[in-house]
Amino acid sequence: MNGFKMALSIRFNVKFAFRYITKNHCPRRLFKAQQSTATTSAHEERVFSGIQPTGVPHLGNYLGALESWVALQGKYSSVMYSIVDLHSITQPQDPQFLRENILDMVSSLLACGIDPTRSILFQQSQVSQHAELSWILGCLTSMPRLRHLPQWKMKSKQKNEGSVGLYTYPVLQAADILLYKSTHVPVGEDQIQHLELAQDLARIFNNQYGEFFPEPCALLSSTRKVKSLRDPSSKMSKSDPQMLATVFLTDTPDDIVLKIRRAVTDSNSKVTYEPESRPGVSNLVSVHVAVSGQSVEEVVRMADGLDTGQYKNVVAEAVVKKLEPIRQEIQRLRADRGYLESLLAEGADKACCLAAPVMMEVRKRVGFC
């Protein structure tokens, strides 16, 4: 009888250990190494940001966010970038297109300079703790608080009626950040209110369950927003119906030259930087500044004597020089599906090993275990 009880006990303990490790998607060796970090390095500097897998990024994405993401890898010891596919399904998605878009985004990030040896690159849905923490934080959030956030206001108006997922989108964003006890988040000015929600939820959780989450701070990009080449009053966008409005990272040199030559300017042929009164030519100057590393004053001085038609050729040449190596690298990486999938799997393992001990502590504090 004692032998039977011992065998039963061993069987139960092995089964429990297997279920626990599987549930958290974390290799046993790595999990043990990371387990203590949930409390001992609670305020270690860590950068987190995410990007939706909506296809290949455009020039505005690259200059406004991705270039700074690459630079942050050299400034912080812990950097995490997530392809936030859970966020993407707040809008209808074709499953096959979504799968391919995820790989397009991985190859684009790598080609731009995201280095998996210096940062953790992973797919959000492969780390189940994001959704679990989002539910807990959602229970600490009021409906009026979410109703006034820009994401809901803008997109629910476009659709006349928004989904529950769209409504709680900012809570999942907060969970993405807090799950890794992130201290710094690169954001655009239009996302500041969403980051403030993450800060508020960190305070609410800490007040209710004891000090645990750091309050993340914003890393604002200094790069000017790239405007549509066909309508400089609006941002460059992947969804712009005008084919010539957006420069994608996979555009050929001929595509780029054509789009910039067709860019909207005005009747004044002189090159100046006056964003309010001359948004079209000022947008070209901003792009030129960003891809060349020169100042506005240097670019305008260099363009003295050129009309806007001639200047467009100069800008096109500078953009091609910047983007052509990226385009070629995207093509090379995209051809190796197995490599991209294995890289995502490895990134998910690393992310899970950071997320698992945090969620274990959250569960304890909330009272689940």
Side-chain angles (χ1 to χ4, degrees), residues 81-101:
Y81 297 129
S82 180
I83 297 171
V84 289
D85 50 345
L86 292 176
H87 288 291
S88 70
I89 63 170
T90 56
Q91 304 295 326
Q93 299 284 339
D94 179 286
Q96 185 56 37
F97 286 162
L98 179 57
R99 292 185 195 100
E100 296 307 312
N101 282 342

Side-chain angles (χ1 to χ4, degrees), residues 43-49 67-81 114-120 181-187 215-221:
H43 299 294
E44 173 192 358
E45 286 192 330
R46 173 168 291 138
V47 173
F48 178 92
S49 195
E67 219 177 18
S68 65
W69 281 19
V70 173
L72 289 171
Q73 295 176 123
K75 295 179 181 178
Y76 293 88
S77 60
S78 182
V79 181
M80 304 184 72
Y81 297 129
I114 299 303
D115 183 351
T117 67
R118 297 197 296 159
S119 58
I120 297 175
K181 307 185 91 170
S182 310
T183 56
H184 296 79
V185 183
V187 291
E215 292 180 28
C217 61
L219 294 174
L220 288 171
S221 171

Side-chain angles (χ1 to χ4, degrees), residues 224-264:
R224 297 175 179 86
K225 290 187 183 300
V226 178
K227 304 294 186 178
S228 162
L229 296 179
R230 301 301 298 165
D231 177 11
S233 66
S234 60
K235 290 193 302 182
M236 186 172 283
S237 170
K238 294 178 188 176
S239 59
D240 197 313
Q242 298 193 66
M243 298 281 292
L244 299 177
T246 305
V247 173
F248 291 94
L249 298 189
T250 49
D251 280 349
T252 66
D254 287 346
D255 292 335
I256 293 171
V257 170
L258 175 63
K259 290 177 179 182
I260 292 179
R261 280 181 178 171
R262 298 284 183 86
V264 170

